[in-house]
Amino acid sequence: MDLSELAGRHGRTTGAIGARLARLVPEAELVEAELVEDSPASGGGPASGVALVGSAELEWLRARLAADPDYPWRSVFDARRRPPRGLRRRRAAGHAPAAAPGEPAPAGPTRGEPAAGPQWSARLDDVRAEWERTIGHQLRAERRAEFLARPVVADLAVVAAPLRQAAARRLWEGEARLLLDDWLLECLCPGASRLTTDWAPIAERDPDTVLLLRELAAAAAAEIPAGRSREIVCRRLGLHDGPAESLAAVGEAFGISGERVRQLQVKAVRGMASTAAPATRSLRTLLAGLSRVDDPPCPDGSPAGDGPDPLDGSRTAGAAVADPPASARLLDLAEVLLPAVPVRQAALVIAQLAGARKLRAENLAAEAVTVRALRHDAARRELSRQGRIERAARRWAALEAEVSWFGAPQPAPPRGELAALRDTAGEDGRSGSWRCPKLGREVAYESETEWRVVQLLSFAPQIAYYQEQPLAIGYDFDGRRRTYYPDLLVATTDGRCVLIEVKPVYEMATAVNVAKYRAVEALCRSRGWGLVATDGWRTRRLLEDRPVDGRLEAALDEALARGGELTWHQVRAAAGALPLKSLDLAALVLRRGWVWRTHPYRLRGGAPASIPAPLSDPAPASDFTPVSAPAPDAPAPDAPAPDAPAPDASAPSPPSPGTEPIPLFPEVSPQPRVVPSPAEVEAARTAAGGWTRAQLAAWGVAWPAPKGWKQRLAQEWAAGR
């Protein structure tokens, strides 16, 4: 029977049968077989360990029993139940480095065993002579014995002479020194002696450093004494330029269960964490210094380190951090050293090799997985941000083409002299604040429309900085002096300044917003700044140029000429069957100079009801509170025009703008209009405290009743007495 048939007959795995067969082979034969397997000259390697544990023992037993039917296999099995202590110690210490290809494996003591024999003494003397010849220094007689007694000299003695001499020359020419430990490491892994615990090459993914670390890891894995364990570790960690294999795949290759593969891997890694083999010892030292797994966590539970916390997602993959914590370092080391292994498994192995205890290593591996997920999220956000910047650049370029410029463009005030002059925080659910990455502070906004414009300015690369609510401008409306705060002042990267009025498009044509726009326009003319009113996409200029059906314009013009003022119902009646859109009406208001009010809805023809006085040059940039004053080319409000006749003192003075009487009911009533006295008005109140629509119609008051209608009725009644 072959190995698989034996395993099937006994209901065991092929690995279990192979391990039992190995106990039937004498210890000397098994050690000799392992040494032949490890020798590169024999063509063996990690893959040959699969045939050794199982089929090789089976073939050896068949040949031995055929030649010697009385072979005492029972006594051999009893003797092999517990290996001698010396053999266990030699296996734990690790095999000596193999000879160069083409040379037989030299016989010599392993680490920790004393040197003996004239041939071995000659090899030690060769190492000493090479060291003295390389550095040009001769040891005294009393120092030679101390030199030859060092274990590292014995390890160097088993290395092929050409490799040893070449390594000595490289170290001496590169560093002007020849330390024995570095010499041995250079023989096992050329260039590994130059590796340091500096984190910058790891963070920057330096190709030379990455290559040397991977070669050192492969050399450390080659120092695992047991052939099967060595092969398992190499396959599980992907150390042979192949993908990392799963427990089930490795178990199937070796004829053992996946759980047994895991146990052997844990045992091998634990042995690597305590062995004195040179490559493994150097790898442990490097990983301990690079990972800093011994650094205690912060008292609040956050990762240690002076750099930014990687758990906040602020760092993308591959970006350098001055002093990242242990979890972030383990993640980078896992990506550099074991790229084919899942992050959690790789970080756990590296933490154990670096000297972390089991619980600490498991916690750090879990944190490394979290850091990796957050880094990926940050990378996705960065890609999204780059796309957003490109879109914002295109949007601002289109919006900048709609800016109205007055004279030669002038620069914006310095950023340090700008501040918000009004608190926009409220409980209306529309206002709020947004963290601007460009300004590094919270930016207040009053509506969703303004928030969209703020985000556009934050991501557009053409914008250097901006300020919300930067100015206080006086203007007149409805006979009162008011103060308006422009929404945004923008400084562009080419040294220009733009004031932005943020309004929904249909609101740009209302009477109060027209008055505000004229006040801001006067300021921009005096300052040489640009001005644009927008909702983030459309502008006031686009609204003014909007094409409107001429029949609708003629119908509304005729209705305004007949009635003077129109309510919403009258506007709809005047439009008739023609389609009426709010943007069409707003465009006509801006082009024709009509006055459009809401709450209640009123549309008046002719000149605006209130034209704000032009402004003089605003206040200094330190406070930016412009003072309203007549323009230089306009007459004073109370002064007569130069060519006007002298006013007649007996004639009544004309009403001031914004105070002329407004018809309460412009349409002709079919019944005579009755002007009641104030007492009659109060007596006509209903039980609910108001007045009926019919009663107001009899008095000539439109529905809904405009503000101040009672006072006007009282004035008419007093004038008619």
Side-chain angles (χ1 to χ4, degrees):
M1 295 183 181
D2 57 14
L3 198 62
S4 59
E5 292 175 340
L6 286 173
R9 178 166 182 174
H10 290 277
R12 305 291 297 276
T13 63
T14 56
I17 296 298
R20 184 57 58 93
L21 290 175
R23 294 187 180 182
L24 303 179
V25 180
E27 185 70 28
E29 298 288 344
L30 184 60
V31 172
E32 181 181 357
E34 289 181 352
L35 290 176
V36 171
E37 170 216 356
D38 291 337
S39 175
S42 65
S48 60
V50 180
L52 177 66
V53 183
S55 59
E57 286 84 346
L58 183 59
E59 296 299 330
W60 188 91
L61 284 171
R62 284 176 177 165
R64 182 60 183 269
L65 290 173
D68 183 10
D70 297 331
Y71 169 65
W73 58 269
R74 293 183 182 274
S75 59
V76 173
F77 178 81
D78 294 338
R80 291 289 313 280
R81 283 183 179 274
R82 181 172 181 81
R85 182 173 300 177
L87 179 60
R88 293 202 307 271
R89 186 168 59 249
R90 289 196 301 272
R91 288 180 175 179
H95 293 296
E103 293 188 5
T110 59
R111 174 173 288 272
E113 291 187 352
Q119 185 179 4
W120 182 247
S121 299
R123 288 181 175 275
L124 297 179
D125 286 335
D126 291 342
V127 174
R128 177 191 56 78
E130 292 170 4
W131 184 83
E132 293 177 343
R133 189 165 51 250
T134 302
I135 68 172
H137 174 71
Q138 299 294 325
L139 291 174
R140 297 191 301 271
E142 60 272 15
R143 295 297 304 275
R144 289 183 179 180
E146 182 181 350
F147 182 91
L148 297 176
R150 297 189 60 180
V152 65
V153 176
D155 292 333
L156 285 167
V158 298
V159 179
L163 296 179
R164 190 171 61 230
Q165 295 168 6
R169 286 193 301 268
R170 286 196 302 269
L171 289 178
W172 183 254
E173 292 173 359
E175 304 178 12
R177 63 178 184 175
L178 186 59
L179 301 179
L180 295 181
D181 288 335
D182 292 346
W183 191 7
L184 177 60
L185 185 60
E186 186 71 15
C187 294
L188 298 176
C189 182
S193 59
R194 299 193 300 269
L195 292 174
T196 64
T197 57
D198 183 15
W199 182 250
I202 303 297
E204 297 170 1
R205 303 299 193 266
D206 180 63
D208 295 335
T209 304
V210 171
L211 176 62
L212 288 177
L213 270 178
R214 293 180 181 177
E215 290 297 324
L216 183 59
E223 293 177 342
I224 298 177
R228 183 171 64 168
S229 299
R230 179 170 61 251
E231 175 67 11
I232 286 176
V233 169
C234 292
R235 290 193 178 199
R236 290 283 292 145
L237 302 183
L239 296 180
H240 293 309
D241 296 330
E245 300 182 20
S246 63
L247 293 173
V250 177
E252 182 178 357
F254 283 89
I256 57 178
S257 63
E259 175 61 20
R260 182 55 180 163
V261 171
R262 187 195 65 80
Q263 294 173 359
L264 293 174
Q265 178 185 351
V266 170
K267 182 179 179 181
V269 173
R270 189 184 301 122
M272 293 178 66
S274 59
T275 185
T280 307
R281 185 177 70 251
S282 178
L283 179 64
R284 290 202 311 265
T285 304
L286 278 173
L287 294 180
L290 289 172
S291 63
R292 296 187 181 179
V293 295
D294 294 333
D295 290 353
C298 295
D300 58 355
S302 60
D306 299 332
D309 184 1
L311 298 182
D312 64 358
S314 61
R315 176 177 180 264
T316 57
V321 171
D323 190 14
S327 57
R329 288 172 174 262
L330 281 177
L331 175 59
D332 290 338
L333 287 172
E335 294 175 350
V336 167
L337 195 58
L338 304 173
V341 185
V343 172
R344 185 161 192 154
Q345 177 187 345
L348 179 60
V349 172
I350 294 174
Q352 290 174 342
L353 291 177
R357 295 183 178 273
K358 179 181 179 182
L359 183 58
R360 170 73 170 162
E362 292 176 351
N363 291 339
L364 288 175
E367 290 181 12
V369 175
T370 304
V371 172
R372 179 175 180 266
L374 293 179
R375 284 185 184 178
H376 287 181
D377 291 341
R380 286 191 291 269
R381 287 195 300 270
E382 180 64 21
L383 290 176
S384 176
R385 181 175 179 273
Q386 292 298 328
R388 195 170 189 177
I389 290 175
E390 295 175 1
R391 294 193 298 271
R394 293 193 297 267
R395 284 180 55 193
W396 174 256
L399 186 62
E400 191 176 22
E402 301 294 325
V403 175
S404 299
W405 297 99
F406 307 98
Q410 299 297 321
R415 181 176 177 181
E417 298 181 0
L418 295 174
L421 301 184
R422 186 167 69 98
D423 185 12
T424 59
E427 299 180 355
D428 54 2
R430 299 184 306 137
S431 60
S433 63
W434 182 71
R435 179 74 180 179
C436 174
K438 179 177 293 184
L439 302 180
R441 63 175 178 86
E442 296 288 334
V443 176
Y445 60 86
E446 295 183 277
S447 63
E448 292 293 324
T449 303
E450 189 171 332
W451 176 59
R452 289 196 299 268
V453 177
V454 165
Q455 287 187 318
L456 167 62
L457 300 178
S458 300
F459 289 100
Q462 302 96 322
I463 306 302
Y465 57 88
Y466 63 92
Q467 176 65 52
E468 74 279 13
Q469 311 294 330
L471 309 173
I473 302 176
Y475 71 101
D476 293 324
F477 185 74
D478 277 348
R480 287 195 301 117
R481 190 64 175 171
R482 308 190 183 195
T483 302
Y484 175 59
Y485 300 87
D487 294 316
L488 294 162
L489 184 147
V490 175
T492 61
T493 55
D494 56 1
R496 296 184 294 175
C497 180
V498 181
L499 281 181
I500 299 181
E501 284 298 297
V502 182
K503 295 288 186 298
V505 178
Y506 66 91
E507 291 185 6
M508 294 179 186
T510 59
V512 62
N513 288 331
V514 169
K516 293 177 181 178
Y517 186 85
R518 290 178 178 176
V520 178
E521 183 179 0
L523 172 65
C524 292
R525 288 183 183 276
S526 64
R527 285 273 176 161
W529 293 348
L531 175 63
V532 62
T534 180
D535 63 349
W537 298 95
R538 297 163 295 185
T539 63
R540 191 177 192 268
R541 181 181 296 179
L542 292 177
L543 182 61
E544 293 174 349
D545 298 338
R546 177 184 176 87
V548 182
D549 191 344
R551 295 174 297 173
L552 176 63
E553 182 177 0
L556 292 179
D557 202 4
E558 180 182 356
L560 287 172
R562 184 176 62 251
E565 181 179 88
L566 302 178
T567 65
W568 168 243
H569 298 287
Q570 293 167 346
V571 169
R572 291 295 305 173
L578 296 174
L580 177 61
K581 298 181 180 180
S582 60
L583 294 185
D584 294 339
L585 181 59
L588 291 176
V589 168
L590 293 179
R591 287 206 294 263
R592 299 296 303 274
W594 296 343
V595 179
W596 181 27
R597 298 170 181 262
T598 57
H599 306 97
Y601 190 101
R602 294 292 183 269
L603 180 64
R604 297 183 57 199
S610 176
I611 301 177
L615 301 177
S616 63
D617 188 53
S622 58
D623 53 9
F624 281 93
T625 308
V627 180
S628 175
D633 56 349
D638 299 331
D643 300 333
D648 187 3
S650 61
S653 59
S656 60
T659 60
E660 63 269 29
I662 301 176
L664 297 179
F665 199 76
E667 296 180 352
V668 179
S669 176
Q671 297 174 2
R673 180 166 172 266
V674 178
V675 179
S677 65
E680 292 172 343
V681 171
E682 292 299 325
R685 284 181 181 270
T686 64
W691 293 266
T692 63
R693 182 180 298 187
Q695 182 64 69
L696 293 176
W699 293 340
V701 180
W703 182 269
K707 184 178 180 180
W709 65 272
K710 289 191 296 182
Q711 290 82 355
R712 295 179 185 176
L713 284 179
Q715 293 174 1
E716 291 184 27
W717 179 78
R721 289 183 61 183

